[in-house]
């Protein structure tokens, strides 16, 4: 059984990854309170979080050597009309503007196109680091739906008339950037098992 320790306190992310990572893998949630650097490069954000998570692992489990994978995920939303902002800083934009405020700001622009990107960082027990990305296009709309979390209510992926929040978990997993990144990660792990 391949063991993966997902470091997140976000219940929505945890639920999605539980659905995406299936048989043959044991997914465990580790809830460390990680600092997030303010950076537009999501790989740099994930890399710093991986180093911090590994440090916290060593502090919490002093006598237990880590023999499995440590995983960090960051999902960002880059909006064309805002010069690719907020990117990895989406959390702070939502804190300041709220979902409706961000959507209304974007809808005042000529272009509502957005890119949703998930970056997964994986750290092996022997400190080899690998990154996996999943990217999809869509557009920003006024909040619709009741499912999901984060900015799911205002992101409508290309090819769909629904926001992520209007989709059930199975529908969202079929088109999500998180699924694309996760599939790449799982292929890598299976190929590089030790």
């Amino acid at each position: 059984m391949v063991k993966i320790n997902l470091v997140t306190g976000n219940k929505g992310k945890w639920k999605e990854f539980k659905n995406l990572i299936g048989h043959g893998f044991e997914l465990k949630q580790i809830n460390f309170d990680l600092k997030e650097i303010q950076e537009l490069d999501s790989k740099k954000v994930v890399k710093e979080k991986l180093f911090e998570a590994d440090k916290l692992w060593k502090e919490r489990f002093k006598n237990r050597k880590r023999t499995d994978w440590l995983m960090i995920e960051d999902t960002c939303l880059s909006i064309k009309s805002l010069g690719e902002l907020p990117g990895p800083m989406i959390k702070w934009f939502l804190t300041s503007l709220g979902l409706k405020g961000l959507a209304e700001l974007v809808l005042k622009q000529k272009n509502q196109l957005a890119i949703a990107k998930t970056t997964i960082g994986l750290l092996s027990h022997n400190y080899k680091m690998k990154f996996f990305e999943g990217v999809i296009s869509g557009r920003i709309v006024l909040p619709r739906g009741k499912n999901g979390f984060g900015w799911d209510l205002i992101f409508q992926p290309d090819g769909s008339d629904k926001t992520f929040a209007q989709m059930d978990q199975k529908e969202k997993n079929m088109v999500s950037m998180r699924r694309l990144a996760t599939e790449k990660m799982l292929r890598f792990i299976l190929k590089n098992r030790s």
Side-chain angles (χ1 to χ4, degrees):
M1 181 75 68
V2 178
K3 295 180 181 177
I4 304 170
N5 297 295
L6 171 61
V7 181
T8 186
N10 184 312
K11 291 178 184 176
K13 283 184 184 183
W14 170 247
K15 182 180 175 186
E16 282 193 20
F17 277 114
K18 287 276 289 177
N19 285 313
L20 289 168
I21 298 176
H23 304 292
F25 296 91
E26 180 185 331
L27 186 65
K28 183 177 180 184
Q29 182 181 17
I30 306 289
N31 192 356
F32 290 146
D33 187 20
L34 302 176
K35 297 175 199 127
E36 187 166 316
I37 63 168
Q38 300 308 296
E39 169 65 54
L40 291 175
D41 183 342
S42 57
K43 278 188 182 175
K44 287 182 182 176
V45 172
V46 170
K47 185 177 182 180
E48 287 300 316
K49 283 183 165 184
L50 271 173
F51 286 139
E52 187 181 0
D54 184 60
K55 179 181 161 199
L56 291 171
W57 176 284
K58 288 173 185 168
E59 289 172 8
R60 183 182 286 179
F61 306 112
K62 289 183 183 0
N63 297 321
R64 200 167 106 210
K65 182 173 168 46
R66 188 169 56 80
T67 59
D68 39 20
W69 299 94
L70 195 59
M71 175 186 166
I72 296 283
E73 181 263 11
D74 188 70
T75 295
C76 59
L77 184 65
S78 300
I79 301 168
K80 294 289 185 188
S81 62
L82 300 182
E84 307 302 323
L85 288 172
M89 295 184 285
I90 182 65
K91 175 181 174 181
W92 309 114
F93 273 62
L94 294 179
T95 299
S96 285
L97 299 171
L99 283 169
K100 189 174 181 190
L102 180 57
E104 287 173 347
L105 174 68
V106 174
L107 292 171
K108 289 177 183 173
Q109 313 302 313
K110 288 182 182 177
N111 188 343
Q112 287 81 44
L113 296 178
I115 301 292
K117 179 173 81 172
T118 291
T119 303
I120 294 174
L122 202 58
L123 186 65
S124 70
H125 65 280
N126 56 359
Y127 298 97
K128 291 186 179 166
M129 194 176 292
K130 185 79 175 159
F131 297 96
F132 310 91
E133 289 185 346
V135 179
I136 64 168
S137 301
R139 66 187 187 99
I140 302 300
V141 298
L142 286 173
R144 298 193 320 249
K146 295 179 181 174
N147 299 323
F149 61 98
W151 40 265
D152 285 355
L153 281 86
I154 63 169
F155 183 76
Q156 181 177 315
D158 287 346
S160 177
D161 60 354
K162 296 179 179 180
T163 65
F164 274 162
Q166 291 174 300
M167 298 177 182
D168 63 29
Q169 192 64 61
K170 189 175 180 182
E171 283 178 291
K172 183 180 177 187
N173 286 348
M174 293 296 290
V175 297
S176 87
M177 60 285 160
R178 193 167 280 121
R179 177 188 61 84
L180 296 172
T182 301
E183 286 177 351
K184 290 175 186 177
M185 177 192 72
L186 295 178
R187 282 194 298 269
F188 172 82
I189 290 174
L190 290 173
K191 189 176 176 182
N192 293 280
R193 277 199 252 207
S194 54

